[in-house]
Each structure stands twice: as structure tokens, then as C-alpha cells.
Amino acid sequence: MINRRDLALSTLAVSALALSVPALAASADDEAVAKKVEAFRLAQIAADPKALGALCWDDLSYSHSSGKVEDKATFIANATDGKSKFLSIDYKDPTIKVVGSAAIVRFHWLAEQEMAADGKKVSTNLHILMNWQKQGDEWKLLSRAATKL
């Protein structure tokens, strides 16, 4: 025989469990996206076409602060052509918001690169918005936009 008090307590316990499971899943997705974002940053510094390719959707839309928009093939070709190399890239104050199978990532980009032609060093100070999409169990970059600060 179950009384009202026992029924209320068991209902409360099941409700608490149901609310905590999605929170745990969200934090696991947050962590997975954070790892992909860091892998992307390291691939940019290394100018690694294979790593960049594996992190991006085939339908990537990559927008620069100049307004230039590249597809996946063009982005990877230009990012790895050797005309410049990154000396540093920092993603400052990142935020990640997972919404279903999408993740919105924002951060302050501070970077320095060296031009191969003349050795000139160029610094960039940008605000970045990345959209990541879950594909099976993998998060891949779907789009990126940059704004000069």
C-alpha cells in the first residue's frame, strides 16, 4: 500500500532525476564542443589541412572580418597556402551555448601572423561567432563570422 506522502516523494525524486539528466548531457556536449573549438584553433596555427577538413562540414560558410566568404575548400586552401603563418592565436572569453544539435560559440580572437613574402607581422583583434552542428556523435563547424574590434 502506497500512501500520498510516499507517492509525492517518489514523484519528486523521478522529476529531479529527469531534470538532471538533460543538464548532464548538455555539459557533455559543451565539453565536446570546447574540445573541437580548441582542436580548430590548433589546426589553424599548424596550418593543417587534414585536421581543418575533419573539423568542418562540407557546406562550411567561413566569413572573414573583411566580408570575404569562403566555402570549405577555399578556406582550407587559403589557410594552409604558406603565404603567412600564425605566430599565435588566442580565443579569449569563450562562451558555448548548445541548443539541440547546434552549438553557438563566441569569443574574442587575438592573433599575430607573419607574412612569408616580407616577414611583416600583422595583429588581428576580432569578435568571432561560430556555429557548430552535431553530425552523429561528432561536432563539426558549419559557419563562422568575424567582426573587427
Side-chain angles (χ1 to χ4, degrees):
M1 191 104 193
I2 298 176
N3 63 36
R4 287 184 186 190
R5 181 176 175 253
D6 292 338
L7 181 60
L9 289 174
S10 64
T11 302
L12 182 60
V14 169
S15 297
L17 179 61
L19 290 175
S20 67
V21 171
L24 293 174
S27 67
D29 279 337
D30 289 348
E31 186 177 319
V33 171
K35 286 180 181 178
K36 293 295 182 172
V37 169
E38 177 62 7
F40 190 85
R41 186 186 74 81
L42 294 173
Q44 284 181 296
I45 293 169
D48 183 340
K50 186 175 179 182
L52 289 170
L55 290 163
C56 298
W57 275 88
D58 289 340
D59 293 326
L60 175 70
S61 177
Y62 194 93
S63 301
H64 293 270
S65 61
S66 65
K68 180 173 73 170
V69 179
E70 298 171 329
D71 62 13
K72 180 179 177 177
T74 305
F75 159 66
I76 291 171
N78 289 339
T80 61
D81 65 8
K83 291 181 182 176
S84 68
K85 72 174 183 176
F86 281 107
L87 303 174
S88 66
I89 302 175
D90 291 318
Y91 290 2
K92 300 283 188 188
D93 305 319
T95 62
I96 297 171
K97 180 169 176 72
V98 175
V99 182
S101 63
I104 302 164
V105 178
R106 296 178 184 271
F107 54 87
H108 182 183
W109 157 296
L110 293 171
E112 184 175 36
Q113 61 192 121
E114 183 176 43
M115 300 299 137
D118 59 7
K120 181 181 175 185
K121 292 182 181 173
V122 177
S123 296
T124 49
N125 183 8
L126 308 170
H127 184 264
I128 304 293
L129 168 64
M130 291 178 149
N131 293 295
W132 292 76
Q133 185 75 38
K134 197 168 190 179
Q135 184 178 38
D137 291 336
E138 289 291 316
W139 288 93
K140 294 193 179 246
L141 181 63
L142 180 60
S143 66
R144 183 252 198 198
T147 303
K148 290 179 186 174
L149 294 177

